[in-house]
Amino acid sequence: LPAVGAKAEGKPTTGSVTITKNDTDNSSGNYGTVKGAKFTFYKIASFTVGEDGYADWTVEDNFASLNIVEDDLGNLSTEDIESKVNQAMELINAEGSQIQGTESEATGENGKVTVSGLSLGYYLIVETTTPTNYVASKPFFVAISSANNYNNPDNPAKGWVYDINVEPKNEKIPPIEKDADVTSAELG
């Protein structure tokens, strides 16, 4: 995730997120794709270039109660991140909430959808349309921009990535066998 003190002059001010929905055939281990999923992007915090050319983070007003501080999400445990996701979802789903997100197009035949032109910041991404026979992926956070080692943190970062690729975990609902038990049926 972006470092607050990083020099940001001359860098892009927007980025994109490409989401790939894969399906695993557990019997063979082969991957397929999932068509028809849609996602909604909620901006949690903004990243801007200050007058001094360095990065400034500002939490969006609707999410101030999450108490996220600069670069906080990059340093939290999995449990703490899940807690922040749950808190954000409570704010979004609260009665009378005016929080609006940006919905993606549906994933295509290749299981992919790209949302471009996203201003820099932290986003909560929620699967809001789930194809039949699938369970929605869990909501997750993404930072635009991210250190270029976001998918391999054991390597030192040497730059920034503005076009992020994610593959949320997916689960197919197994078919339910509906056989009648004729040996115990009684009339009467």
Side-chain angles (χ1 to χ4, degrees):
L1 297 175
V4 174
K7 194 82 164 169
E9 283 181 325
K11 303 291 184 192
T13 58
T14 63
S16 67
V17 175
T18 298
I19 300 171
T20 303
K21 285 279 288 183
N22 286 318
D23 172 28
T24 304
D25 176 351
N26 291 329
S27 62
S28 68
N30 293 327
Y31 285 94
T33 57
V34 179
K35 178 184 175 184
K38 291 184 180 180
F39 298 84
T40 300
F41 289 63
Y42 296 95
K43 192 166 192 184
I44 303 295
S46 296
F47 166 67
T48 57
V49 179
E51 289 183 28
D52 59 0
Y54 286 89
D56 292 325
W57 285 96
T58 306
V59 176
E60 299 293 316
D61 290 340
N62 289 325
F63 296 101
S65 65
L66 295 180
N67 296 317
I68 296 173
V69 295
E70 297 172 344
D71 213 22
D72 192 20
L73 294 175
N75 298 308
L76 296 176
S77 69
T78 300
E79 293 81 19
D80 289 340
I81 288 175
E82 287 176 358
S83 175
K84 295 286 186 194
V85 165
N86 291 337
Q87 291 171 29
M89 291 302 297
E90 287 174 11
L91 293 170
I92 292 165
N93 294 323
E95 188 173 330
S97 171
Q98 300 296 314
I99 299 173
Q100 299 292 312
T102 301
E103 187 175 56
S104 73
E105 298 292 324
T107 54
E109 293 290 336
N110 63 358
K112 293 184 181 202
V113 64
T114 298
V115 176
S116 300
L118 295 167
S119 59
L120 303 183
Y122 284 123
Y123 289 84
L124 173 66
I125 301 176
V126 180
E127 186 172 343
T128 48
T129 299
T130 305
T132 304
N133 298 326
Y134 286 88
V135 175
S137 54
K138 289 184 178 182
F140 56 95
F141 288 114
V142 168
I144 303 171
S145 64
S146 290
N148 66 355
N149 68 341
Y150 74 95
N151 58 358
N152 189 0
D154 293 334
N155 290 333
K158 295 183 177 148
W160 300 109
V161 176
Y162 295 87
D163 300 309
I164 309 300
N165 295 294
V166 295
E167 294 184 24
K169 294 179 181 168
N170 304 294
E171 184 177 342
K172 190 170 188 175
I173 300 171
I176 298 173
E177 299 295 326
K178 297 180 182 180
D179 292 332
D181 183 0
V182 293
T183 59
S184 63
E186 295 182 26
L187 296 175

